[in-house]
Amino acid sequence: MKTICAISTPLSEGAISLIRMSGDEAIRIADKVFRSFSEKQASHMTGHTCAYGKICDGEKTVDDVLLTVFRSPKSYTGEDTVEISCHGGIFVTKKILEILISSGAEPAAPGEFTKRAFLNGKLSLTQAEAVMDIISSEGERALYSANNMREGAVFKKITKVRESLVSLLGSLAAWVDYPEEDLPDVELTAIEKTVSEALGELKALIKSYDDGIIFKEGVETAIVGSPNVGKSSLMNILLGFDRSIVTDIEGTTRDVIEESARVGDITLRLCDTAGIRETSDTVENLGVNLARKKLEGARLVIAVFDASRVLNEDDKKILDEINPKNTLVVLNKIDLESKITKDSFDRFEVVEISVAEQRGLDELKESVLKVLGADSFSSQENFFASQRQKNCAEKACAYLKNAISAVRMGETLDAVTVMIEEALSYLLELTGEKASEAVVDEVFSRFCVGK
Ligand code: GDP
């Protein structure tokens, strides 16, 4: 396989840059361009050692660097690999890359190092996807989950499910020559039990993915409320800086403003909206329609009410449109005399705050987690690293469900076998053991160059 090279650190000015080269020729190419100060050239270095020296362009010194050698198979990719740590300038880093290319290496495609690691059996496809998750993690929970996955937790779980199905297929093959009516009921019950257990395991993984996704991707959040209840003020507090102009004139927040805020370990993708209410102002009406759309699409709705006045028509309209399943009711302005209480919001999670006095904000954060069902989520649960993995599991589940119905309806064992085989093929695609080249390419194309 050709020898590839790429810059593995972000291309911006910094203290150090790292250039990586992997393949059969990596060490020979390093010998051409690297002069060790200890006279020990790359080809004389053992794996996992580094040398101090310089990269030369002909007779000219380009930079003093630290060069590390990894020898196959004990490297990230499984191939001979050389890593060059140079000074973190954009020009010098690019220059060293150019020298490697002109000495025989080829530029790596996105994710090609990790793809080679996968092809050389260094990690499974699920582990490779977890590597990408570690890079993109925005919080501790997402990071620990990704690490859990990189250590192979999902792969092991899927393998266990797969093994039970494979052994079931073995039994089915043994019974398949029997006439259907001779098959003892106890065997049918056993088939159904094994398939149901496998289905249960997969469903649990899918559920933990759905729960975990909020830590990974953040939560679409709509802040709704009638004018002047304090939506913009709340949003500004959550964001920690002033983004929209807060005024006393009704209907000033005409556009939908989107920003991200961290609440505990979750990123809320917030949008503050023009309140939902009937209005004759066309511009504001546009805002109102947008607000409705956002309300429909949001995973979390924060509905703000002014506790210092009784509910008006606008408030009541909002109450009609929100759903306790995804809505946190916020009673703002408790620094003033309260005219409404939590009791008006039966079935909703309610929190009382004062943005003006910054009271109740910790409780607000806790309530957000409660509404999202995230207060009990454990990062130790294995959740899939990608929608791709989840889709594979869902397809496998669909076939397993069909297999169960087939058993119950007394269909032939051949039919049951075919469905279980289909489910298995999706599990093999999930772990990458039988993923098509197109699937593998798609996964790695989402990596950055140099990874
Ligand atoms: P929006 O129209 O819902 O976005 O409301 P704003 O955030 O623009 O706030 C409307 C008015 O209520 C402003 O004058 C704010 O200063 C005021 N306000 C916001 N929060 C509080 C609060 O907790 N207590 C009091 N007393 N006033 C508040």
Side-chain angles (χ1 to χ4, degrees):
M1 220 183 285
K2 66 185 193 205
T3 296
I4 50 169
C5 63
I7 299 165
S8 288
T9 38
L11 200 58
S12 58
E13 239 167 68
I16 295 167
S17 289
L18 188 93
I19 298 148
R20 182 144 66 166
M21 178 162 62
S22 176
D24 296 343
E25 295 292 302
I27 292 173
R28 205 182 55 78
I29 294 172
D31 269 351
K32 280 200 216 166
V33 302
F34 176 69
R35 305 270 167 276
S36 167
F37 293 135
S38 65
E39 308 272 308
K40 197 173 185 182
Q41 289 312 306
S43 49
H44 295 119
M45 291 164 65
T46 49
H48 291 88
T49 58
C50 64
Y52 182 40
K54 58 185 181 178
I55 297 289
C56 295
D57 185 8
E59 291 309 307
K60 283 182 280 191
T61 299
V62 176
D63 196 12
D64 283 6
V65 303
L66 215 50
L67 180 136
T68 312
V69 166
F70 302 87
R71 291 199 178 260
S72 171
K74 291 188 176 168
S75 70
Y76 181 68
T77 57
E79 305 170 331
D80 281 347
T81 301
V82 170
E83 288 184 0
I84 299 168
S85 308
C86 64
H87 287 106
I90 297 175
F91 181 78
V92 69
T93 310
K94 279 185 167 171
K95 182 74 192 167
I96 293 174
L97 185 75
E98 239 172 59
I99 292 171
L100 296 180
I101 293 170
S102 63
S103 305
E106 290 185 34
E112 198 169 356
F113 292 94
T114 310
K115 182 175 173 182
R116 289 187 175 196
F118 164 68
L119 294 175
N120 289 325
K122 286 280 175 178
L123 32 73
S124 67
L125 202 59
T126 46
Q127 287 172 309
E129 285 175 300
V131 169
M132 192 159 59
D133 266 15
I134 290 172
I135 296 171
S136 62
S137 296
E138 285 182 1
E140 276 196 14
R141 290 203 217 200
L143 175 64
Y144 293 149
S145 289
N147 267 316
N148 200 19
M149 219 158 4
R150 194 180 51 85
E151 283 154 16
V154 170
F155 184 76
K156 280 184 204 139
K157 264 210 163 149
I158 296 292
T159 304
K160 214 177 112 222
V161 171
R162 222 184 54 215
E163 279 166 1
S164 76
L165 292 177
V166 167
S167 109
L168 178 63
L169 280 180
S171 316
L172 284 170
W175 294 322
V176 95
D177 295 331
Y178 275 75
E180 299 305 317
E181 55 274 18
D182 288 353
L183 203 74
D185 278 351
V186 45
E187 299 295 4
L188 288 173
T189 316
I191 297 171
E192 196 180 321
K193 185 165 169 275
T194 308
V195 178
S196 298
E197 279 169 6
L199 186 61
E201 290 268 354
L202 293 180
K203 277 189 177 161
L205 279 172
I206 292 169
K207 180 171 184 311
S208 70
Y209 175 82
D210 289 339
D211 291 346
I213 197 92
I214 56 174
F215 293 102
K216 213 173 102 162
E217 295 183 352
V219 176
E220 285 296 323
T221 306
I223 300 186
V224 297
S226 40
N228 275 326
V229 293
K231 297 181 298 297
S232 310
S233 313
L234 173 63
M235 178 146 162
N236 289 339
I237 275 246
L238 289 174
L239 295 174
F241 64 95
D242 277 357
R243 171 68 171 74
S244 63
I245 303 154
V246 182
T247 66
D248 282 340
I249 310 155
E250 290 201 347
T252 43
T253 321
R254 291 185 169 174
D255 52 347
V256 177
I257 301 162
E258 282 188 296
E259 287 283 356
S260 295
R262 292 289 291 172
V263 169
D265 220 7
I266 295 184
T267 303
L268 299 186
R269 311 216 179 276
L270 293 167
C271 66
D272 177 19
T273 57
I276 294 175
R277 58 173 197 149
E278 301 307 320
T279 167
S280 52
D281 181 325
T282 13
V283 181
E284 206 188 317
N285 232 335
L286 275 177
V288 173
N289 288 337
L290 255 176
R292 272 224 175 82
K293 259 204 194 128
K294 281 284 168 193
L295 186 64
E296 283 160 16
R299 165 106 192 221
L300 174 70
V301 175
I302 297 180
V304 188
F305 297 90
D306 183 342
S308 72
R309 60 167 175 73
V310 291
L311 295 181
N312 62 22
E313 285 309 307
D314 288 339
D315 295 325
K316 286 178 187 158
K317 226 172 247 149
I318 288 164
L319 253 181
D320 281 345
E321 298 208 22
I322 54 180
N323 179 346
K325 275 198 185 136
N326 70 343
T327 305
L328 170 63
V329 167
V330 173
L331 299 185
N332 186 30
K333 309 197 189 182
I334 55 162
D335 52 296
L336 305 174
E337 194 190 331
S338 282
K339 296 274 169 51
I340 43 176
T341 63
K342 285 184 172 190
D343 303 338
S344 322
F345 303 92
D346 195 23
R347 298 184 301 131
F348 283 91
E349 172 77 20
V350 185
V351 64
E352 295 175 308
I353 67 165
S354 160
V355 174
E357 295 186 352
Q358 308 219 349
R359 273 162 58 194
L361 298 178
D362 287 337
E363 288 82 352
L364 177 97
K365 288 181 183 176
E366 276 166 32
S367 296
V368 163
L369 294 182
K370 239 188 237 169
V371 173
L372 291 171
D375 46 343
S376 59
F377 181 80
S378 149
S379 56
Q380 288 311 311
E381 286 176 53
N382 322 305
F383 63 81
F384 298 137
S386 66
Q387 189 66 36
R388 183 196 73 80
Q389 295 178 10
K390 184 191 165 189
N391 289 348
C392 289
E394 279 177 338
K395 284 182 187 147
C397 279
Y399 278 106
L400 294 180
K401 272 188 207 151
N402 287 345
I404 293 174
S405 331
V407 172
R408 288 187 186 151
M409 313 264 288
E411 286 185 30
T412 66
L413 288 188
D414 271 344
V416 178
T417 301
V418 167
M419 286 166 200
I420 295 176
E421 279 170 352
E422 285 289 343
L424 268 174
S425 75
Y426 279 110
L427 295 185
L428 287 170
E429 180 174 326
L430 194 162
T431 56
E433 288 158 285
K434 221 187 82 185
S436 69
E437 208 175 315
V439 168
V440 172
D441 286 348
E442 212 281 314
V443 166
F444 289 102
S445 68
R446 287 181 287 126
F447 278 57
C448 39
V449 173
K451 185 63 231 167

